[in-house]
Amino acid sequence: MSLLTTQDITMKFGGLTAVNEVSMSIQPGQIHALIGPNGAGKSTLINVISGFYRPTSGKILLNEQEIQGKKSSTLSHLGISRTFQNLRLFKNLTVLDNLLIGLHNEIGNSFVSSMFRTPSHHKAEKQAKEIAEHLLHEVGLWTLRDMQTKSLPYGKQKWLEVARGLISKPKLLLLDEPAAGLNPTESDELEQFVRKLPEQGVTVLLIEHDMRLVMRLAEEITVINFGKKIANGTPQEIQNDATVIEAYLGKGRKHA
Ligand code: ADP
Ligand code: MG
């Protein structure tokens, strides 16, 4: 059974069809890449799956339950989390506070604030801190936890964005160009980190520019172009797909 399936998802902005009847399935425990040229509709699809946009039409199933149109906070509670291509961090807060706030936002008011109002307030807060501290160690931000986020180098801010995506302990993490702007060492570290997510129970949908990274990490790849799915298969199948080479891979392999 697929963890997540989109069925003919379409997202229109006025006269522009950003995502056009895209059907795809993400298997549990998989690293699934979503690639395609700039403007292909990749981020829009993530925005729809994570509840930031309500699709114009189509269905999304999480463990066979329809979830299209649900709010992002509800979806977070159901186990879907995402990072933003353009980081959404609170620049004046510390690294640690960004994670703790992420936990409040992601899990949603109904859940956390009701939890925080109960007598177990302190326990919940302590648990949140423990999760945050564990993640800070994992992504190499522990020693920087009290720094103001805006004073972090860009690469570290990218890591914080990834950590924030994981704070709600998602089943499905949608990563929107996590390696963009990272130097080669940071990109290697990210690769190692993402590779280990499935064994920790996190299935990954990865949008990424860096084709080397995609081909090494992904078990399955879906390619979209002008909002339409043009191919789906293993990295090897995608690399040899004439339509994909024509639309995308042939053009210098630079843009995603
Ligand atoms: P990608 O992530 O593949 O580069 P996007 O999903 O960001 O592509 O964009 C797909 C298309 O949808 C682009 O033409 C973009 O300008 C348009 N688009 C994305 N978001 C919006 C929006 N909120 N309003 C209007 N147009 C949008
Ligand atoms: Mg994008």
Side-chain angles (χ1 to χ4, degrees):
M1 184 179 82
S2 302
L3 176 60
L4 186 113
T5 302
T6 71
Q7 293 176 352
D8 294 325
I9 282 293
T10 294
M11 183 74 217
K12 293 186 183 175
F13 298 109
L16 181 115
T17 305
V19 175
N20 197 347
E21 298 185 340
V22 170
S23 298
M24 65 181 287
S25 285
I26 302 170
Q27 305 310 316
Q30 190 175 53
I31 297 175
H32 191 125
L34 177 64
I35 65 172
N38 277 324
K42 305 179 298 296
S43 294
T44 301
L45 189 55
I46 276 195
N47 283 328
V48 170
I49 292 173
S50 58
F52 283 80
Y53 297 149
R54 177 187 291 271
T56 309
S57 58
K59 286 184 184 172
I60 305 173
L61 309 178
L62 178 69
N63 289 320
E64 296 183 331
Q65 301 285 321
E66 286 188 28
I67 57 160
Q68 70 278 0
K70 285 192 193 295
K71 286 187 300 190
S72 59
S73 54
T74 308
L75 293 174
S76 174
H77 193 20
L78 292 174
I80 299 181
S81 180
R82 55 87 55 88
T83 65
F84 288 90
Q85 183 173 353
N86 305 311
L87 312 179
R88 288 211 186 168
L89 300 167
F90 297 94
K91 301 259 179 172
N92 291 319
L93 295 185
T94 66
V95 170
L96 176 62
D97 283 344
N98 260 284
L99 285 187
L100 294 176
I101 281 205
L103 193 65
H104 287 76
N105 285 350
E106 289 292 321
I107 296 183
N109 297 329
S110 53
F111 181 60
V112 168
S113 47
S114 65
M115 206 161 75
F116 279 111
R117 274 196 295 270
T118 65
S120 60
H121 172 119
H122 284 295
K123 196 176 162 219
E125 208 167 52
K126 195 162 157 266
Q127 265 180 358
K129 254 194 132 166
E130 277 171 11
I131 298 172
E133 288 176 358
H134 174 74
L135 266 172
L136 287 170
H137 282 291
E138 294 236 313
V139 302
L141 289 173
W142 174 248
T143 57
L144 305 174
R145 64 193 178 280
D146 293 325
M147 268 178 80
Q148 233 185 3
T149 299
K150 67 178 169 204
S151 55
L152 290 182
Y154 184 70
K156 296 291 183 194
Q157 295 192 22
K158 293 282 287 195
W159 274 109
L160 181 54
E161 180 76 12
V162 172
R164 212 168 62 141
L166 285 165
I167 192 85
S168 59
K169 302 205 152 213
K171 293 192 204 87
L172 176 64
L173 178 64
L174 315 168
L175 292 170
D176 198 348
E177 300 196 15
L182 297 187
N183 67 37
T185 310
E186 290 169 330
S187 181
D188 285 349
E189 284 166 5
L190 182 83
E191 180 182 338
Q192 299 313 319
F193 184 82
V194 172
R195 191 183 300 286
K196 285 194 226 134
L197 288 174
E199 70 202 42
Q200 293 161 26
V202 183
T203 300
V204 176
L205 180 66
L206 172 71
I207 295 179
E208 189 45 62
H209 275 276
D210 180 347
M211 278 309 110
R212 238 169 36 107
L213 194 69
V214 166
M215 295 302 169
R216 285 206 296 248
L217 273 177
E219 203 175 320
E220 186 174 347
I221 301 176
T222 299
V223 190
I224 59 176
N225 192 23
F226 296 116
K228 277 251 172 216
K229 182 170 88 173
I230 58 167
N232 183 83
T234 64
Q236 181 141 37
E237 284 164 350
I238 294 303
Q239 274 172 306
N240 295 319
D241 187 298
T243 319
V244 177
I245 293 167
E246 164 73 20
Y248 176 43
L249 289 182
K251 295 179 189 161
R253 296 171 173 238
K254 274 252 151 83
H255 40 194

